[in-house]
């Protein structure tokens, strides 16, 4: 089999806040027009009017993605500033109430609102998606089941949503608690082949339940629009370097699994019931309490698991030229996730709850530009 190109594409969703009040703000039409003029189809509205989405083109390497994402972030930041606004890249605003937000008036989002009812209205969350180019549908189906094992590890590293409506939820990623209320979410089911996957999708399409597979929102899915595997488990990361590191890790893990396949080997597929337990641990604790290593039969500190993964993908990181990007993830392992940093700011700030949440927003505004 010809080696896939393993190109990557990254999508990020941002929230816009008023720099005076720190409250969420709707994207002004003039700002969106300016963004479109500057970035073309790499920027778009999102489901809620306080959100904006960006997406890179096809990137050969993680460093290419870093360059493009930096440009996209700078452009959004600078154009938002013209309107007294600022973007933040966190999966939940620390204080905002979903009941006060309006959805974007577009056919796609109007249909989503009708289809999802009350659970759709609560979708005041932002995520990050990573596409890895694979040139064969059978390969996409095969690697999806193996890559699912590592989804909790990616979630743990990316966790950036500890607060919901002003309260500390006790979770590192509250975003998933909201998103999992939607249908067709969560870990992907076991799929034996591309044909089996297509049969299941076509059953729902033929019944008129969904129009196509883009309405399947698993943590990992074959993209409906591109010849890629799309990883959707991650919270959006405030710092660019962490976004790039996570994208590089997804890229390297995908290549590592392909490399095993060339040797007639594969990553063991564990029951999704077991992987789901790790997903919950990552959602609850981030990187602080460790995940289950099912091969060892033990709960292992995350730093040790991270070192194991780095050893697994060392060859692939060299070939894909992303060693620097992976090294940036060690900052998370050593110093904590965004959720940990947000909690530290909240707890260190004197005053009432709004003052503490405002300090968290200021922190997130600063982190958005910290490594551009």
């Amino acid at each position: 089999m010809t080696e896939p190109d393993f190109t990557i594409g990254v999508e990020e969703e941002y929230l816009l806040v008023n720099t005076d009040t720190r409250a969420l703000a709707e994207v002004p039409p003039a700002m969106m027009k300016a963004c479109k003029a500057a970035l073309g189809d790499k920027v778009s509205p999102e489901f809620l009017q306080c959100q904006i989405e960006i997406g890179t083109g096809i990137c050969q390497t993680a460093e290419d993605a870093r360059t493009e994402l930096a440009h996209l972030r700078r452009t959004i930041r600078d154009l938002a500033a013209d309107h007294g606004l600022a973007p933040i890249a966190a999966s939940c605003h620390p204080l905002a109430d979903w009941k006060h937000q309006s959805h974007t008036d577009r056919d796609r989002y109007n249909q989503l609102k009708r289809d999802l009812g009350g659970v759709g209205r609560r979708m005041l969350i932002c995520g990050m998606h990573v596409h890895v180019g694979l040139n064969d549908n059978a390969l996409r189906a095969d690697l999806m089941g193996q890559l699912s094992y590592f989804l909790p590890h990616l979630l743990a590293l990316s966790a950036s949503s500890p607060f919901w409506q002003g309260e500390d939820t006790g979770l590192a990623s509250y975003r998933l608690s909201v998103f999992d209320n939607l249908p067709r979410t969560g870990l992907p089911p076991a799929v034996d082949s591309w044909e089996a996957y297509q049969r299941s999708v076509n059953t729902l399409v033929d019944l008129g339940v969904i129009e196509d597979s883009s309405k399947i929102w698993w943590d990992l899915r074959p993209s409906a629009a591109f010849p890629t595997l799309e990883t959707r488990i991650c919270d959006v990361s405030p710092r660019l370097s962490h976004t790039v590191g996570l994208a590089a890790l997804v890229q390297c893990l995908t290549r590592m699994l392909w490399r095993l396949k060339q040797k007639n080997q594969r990553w063991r597929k564990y029951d999704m019931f077991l992987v789901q337990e790790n997903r919950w641990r990552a959602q609850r604790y981030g990187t602080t309490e460790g995940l289950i290593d099912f091969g060892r039969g033990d709960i292992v500190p995350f730093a040790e698991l991270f070192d194991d993964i780095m050893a697994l993908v060392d060859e692939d990181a060299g070939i894909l030229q992303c060693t620097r990007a992976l090294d940036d993830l060690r900052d998370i392992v050593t110093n904590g996730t965004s959720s940990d940093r947000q909690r530290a700011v909240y707890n260190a700030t004197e005053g009432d709850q709004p003052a503490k949440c405002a300090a968290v927003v200021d922190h997130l505004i600063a982190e958005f530009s910290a490594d551009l």
Side-chain angles (χ1 to χ4, degrees), residues 223-279:
S223 171
F226 309 108
T228 64
L229 264 184
E230 180 187 3
T231 301
R232 302 166 51 85
I233 187 71
C234 292
D235 278 9
V236 65
S237 294
R239 295 180 183 173
L240 172 65
S241 59
H242 295 162
T243 295
V244 176
L246 287 162
L249 182 53
V250 174
Q251 184 187 32
C252 285
L253 285 168
T254 305
R255 191 186 185 282
M256 180 271 293
L257 295 172
W258 172 84
R259 178 164 50 82
L260 290 180
K261 184 179 177 69
Q262 306 319 296
K263 301 176 182 178
N264 245 356
Q265 300 172 351
R266 63 186 296 109
W267 196 263
R268 178 177 174 181
K269 290 186 180 180
Y270 290 90
D271 191 316
M272 285 301 173
F273 170 74
L274 298 177
V275 180
Q276 177 64 39
E277 192 63 30
N278 261 350
R279 185 182 188 267

Side-chain angles (χ1 to χ4, degrees), residues 345-357:
V345 171
Y346 185 95
N347 292 330
T349 302
E350 296 183 358
D352 58 11
Q353 180 195 61
K356 289 174 174 286
C357 289

Side-chain angles (χ1 to χ4, degrees), residues 105-124:
D105 185 14
R106 298 179 71 181
D107 289 345
R108 175 170 178 257
Y109 297 132
N110 292 337
Q111 184 63 48
L112 275 177
K113 182 181 179 183
R114 289 191 293 271
D115 290 347
L116 298 177
V119 297
R121 290 187 60 213
R122 297 180 67 243
M123 289 284 291
L124 186 54

